[in-house]
Amino acid sequence: MHDIKAIRDNPQAYDAAWAKRGLGGRSEAILAIDQRLRAAQTAGQEAQAQRNEASKLIGQAKARKDEAEAARLMALVEGFKAELATTAEAERLESEALRNLLAALANLPADDVPLGEDEHGNIEVRRHGDPASVPAARLNAPKDHVDLGAALGMMDFEAAARMSGARFVVLKSQIARLERALGQFMLDVQTVQNGYTEVSPPLLVKDEALYGTGQLPKFAEDLFRTTGEHWLIPTAEVSLTNLVREQITADTALPMRLTALTPSFRSEAGASGRDTRGMIRQHQFYKVELVSITTPEQSEEEHQRMVRCAEDILKRLGLPFRTMLLCTGDMGFGARKTYDLEVWLPSQNTYREISSCSNCGDFQARRMDARFKRAGDKGTSFVHTLNGSGLAVGRTLVAVMENYQLDDGRIEIPEALIAYMGGLTHIGPQV
């Protein structure tokens, strides 16, 4: 959500920032509604003041036994009542129109975000690991995870399709355990090593929670809704960030670092025809989410820290990856700055997104009315919110399977996961 007072003060700056995201000038329409809203508010206040004055004069007229004047004033009061109803309705409609318009506009990009229309405008910040060093690099034609899993009898897309439709999978035996091991490993690193507090949050949330983090109203078609008043979370970001909703947090409690391992549910309405094969784009998947709540002064440093925490998982697993700074045309709706981590997939001979870490500034906080208070200050300020994947478990499973595949069809288990696998060193027949 955007600050209407700030837009009034400097509409040109907002238009210039939105133009970087390909939105064009929007301040003129916003300020026109705002002007009508303030006019309705002023008219209502003036009508209320006149009604109050007339009501006071009725008593004085009756005290003088001037019934004619009292009747005239009473008629006047009744007229103001109708006028107040009219101005109140006008205020309601204009307020709703302004709120809806502001809610549909993306966050403003940070000054150091590169300009660009799509992923081709993203900038590579750094790389880690060499794709030529992984076990799969020794193979002439590395298999993808679908063929690997099917050959091992531990990954079944057909059974999932019979019960649930497309974009689901059934994992079995050692691969199912590997998925569980990855989630636990990630959670342990983020809590024990990186200082995040583990949370077990609700998977069902109301409209207000999704509005607060920016999924509603713009992205309703990408979500799954129950028959009641709840939605399935598309990411634990929604539940974790809303923990500070309508709260005032002491500055001494910030930064607040939260993490959760949960299922995530996405309809993938905007991804029709993309990644239909395999586990890259599923309706249901596990993810370890990272959320930070900070003061404005802390948020940039915290963003860099969050990216390093996500990178740490890939380094410990020995997976080659690169870190990308997203351009203005490729950032998510609520982000002001985003880094993507892209992991190497041998079967595709390219890097694919496995984590997205975003600084949202006060964009979500304004929608949630999440504030903090500095010691000694009378007023409050909006917090900054950040979120990132640390990591997407399904895509990490894909990356491990493909990078660690051997020529005999087995999959080597990264050293960091062996303890989580009960000492197992390979997926497949134990030679």
Side-chain angles (χ1 to χ4, degrees):
M1 185 65 79
H2 300 283
D3 182 0
I4 185 61
K5 293 181 181 178
I7 296 173
R8 286 186 207 129
D9 291 342
N10 196 350
Q12 295 83 4
Y14 276 80
D15 282 340
W18 279 320
K20 292 179 180 179
R21 301 197 68 157
L23 296 177
R26 300 299 172 99
S27 67
E28 184 176 352
I30 292 170
L31 294 177
I33 297 174
D34 179 54
Q35 187 174 16
R36 293 196 299 270
L37 171 60
R38 288 193 289 166
Q41 291 171 333
T42 299
Q45 292 166 358
E46 291 175 351
Q48 184 62 55
Q50 291 175 312
R51 184 171 184 255
N52 292 342
E53 180 64 22
S55 297
K56 183 173 68 175
L57 293 175
I58 290 173
Q60 296 176 3
K62 287 189 174 183
R64 298 193 308 269
K65 299 187 183 305
D66 188 344
E67 296 301 329
E69 178 63 7
R72 185 187 72 81
L73 291 168
M74 290 173 68
L76 194 61
V77 167
E78 192 64 25
F80 283 130
K81 182 179 178 181
E83 184 177 347
L84 283 169
T86 299
T87 58
E89 178 63 8
E91 182 179 344
R92 184 190 70 79
L93 291 173
E94 297 297 349
S95 180
E96 183 177 326
L98 182 60
R99 184 175 186 269
N100 290 342
L101 180 54
L102 291 176
L105 290 171
N107 200 355
L108 305 184
D111 293 338
D112 58 345
V113 172
L115 293 176
E117 295 182 359
D118 52 33
E119 67 272 13
H120 300 294
N122 298 340
I123 294 176
E124 184 175 317
V125 177
R126 53 185 169 266
R127 290 192 184 197
H128 181 86
D130 182 5
S133 68
V134 299
R138 296 192 288 269
L139 305 180
N140 290 328
K143 296 179 180 178
D144 72 3
H145 64 285
V146 179
D147 290 338
L148 286 167
L152 290 166
M154 301 178 191
M155 185 177 286
D156 194 336
F157 289 94
E158 292 182 4
R162 288 195 299 271
M163 69 178 84
S164 302
R167 298 190 188 272
F168 290 93
V169 66
V170 173
L171 302 181
K172 302 175 184 177
S173 188
Q174 297 164 359
I175 290 183
R177 183 171 186 174
L178 180 58
E179 180 188 49
R180 176 162 52 92
L182 281 166
Q184 287 301 131
F185 164 70
M186 293 175 190
L187 201 57
D188 285 350
V189 171
Q190 302 303 357
T191 55
V192 178
Q193 303 296 323
N194 294 329
Y196 286 84
T197 298
E198 183 177 355
V199 178
S200 179
L203 305 182
L204 293 170
V205 294
K206 294 183 178 181
D207 292 18
E208 294 81 4
L210 287 158
Y211 177 86
T213 47
Q215 283 82 12
L216 288 180
K218 189 174 179 64
F219 303 103
E221 67 172 6
D222 293 326
L223 306 171
F224 284 112
R225 189 170 194 171
T226 69
T227 54
E229 59 180 1
H230 292 96
W231 304 75
L232 291 167
I233 60 169
T235 162
E237 169 203 345
V238 178
S239 304
L240 295 178
T241 310
N242 272 276
L243 287 174
V244 295
R245 172 187 192 83
E246 298 171 5
Q247 301 295 306
I248 299 175
T249 305
D251 64 343
T252 53
L254 304 177
M256 182 187 301
R257 300 180 179 124
L258 308 168
T259 186
L261 168 60
T262 69
S264 299
F265 306 90
R266 299 183 185 179
S267 73
E268 297 292 353
S272 178
R274 295 176 58 195
D275 296 312
T276 55
R277 177 177 168 85
M279 291 182 62
I280 295 295
R281 201 174 294 277
Q282 296 263 285
H283 288 314
Q284 173 188 312
F285 57 94
Y286 285 97
K287 183 154 70 80
V288 172
E289 185 71 6
L290 307 176
V291 163
S292 292
I293 312 297
T294 75
T295 66
E297 296 82 7
Q298 297 166 335
S299 69
E300 175 57 26
E301 181 180 348
E302 185 69 15
H303 193 196
Q304 300 301 323
R305 182 185 190 276
M306 179 178 284
V307 173
R308 293 194 299 270
C309 289
E311 291 176 336
D312 187 33
I313 299 295
L314 293 169
K315 290 178 180 179
R316 289 170 184 255
L317 292 174
L319 295 171
F321 69 92
R322 65 182 184 180
T323 302
M324 307 291 291
L325 175 60
L326 299 196
C327 70
T328 52
D330 200 32
M331 282 199 308
F333 175 78
R336 69 188 303 266
K337 185 177 180 180
T338 298
Y339 292 95
D340 272 6
L341 307 187
E342 298 179 349
V343 70
W344 178 256
L345 292 187
S347 70
Q348 299 183 18
N349 196 39
T350 191
Y351 291 93
R352 294 299 304 270
E353 179 198 339
I354 196 168
S355 172
S356 190
C357 299
S358 297
N359 186 345
C360 297
D362 64 4
F363 184 80
Q364 293 177 328
R366 289 181 179 277
R367 298 168 79 103
M368 297 187 301
D369 192 22
R371 301 171 180 265
F372 75 99
K373 190 176 189 302
R374 303 181 195 274
D377 285 1
K378 292 183 179 180
T380 60
S381 303
F382 289 107
V383 298
H384 277 201
T385 63
L386 303 91
N387 63 80
S389 302
L391 304 163
V393 177
R395 292 193 179 191
T396 310
L397 176 67
V398 168
V400 168
M401 290 178 64
E402 293 199 6
N403 281 279
Y404 281 88
Q405 62 180 291
L406 304 175
D407 57 5
D408 60 5
R410 295 185 303 155
I411 298 165
E412 185 180 332
I413 295 173
E415 184 177 352
L417 297 177
I418 291 175
Y420 290 86
M421 294 293 290
L424 203 65
T425 59
H426 293 80
I427 299 293
Q430 302 303 297
V431 178

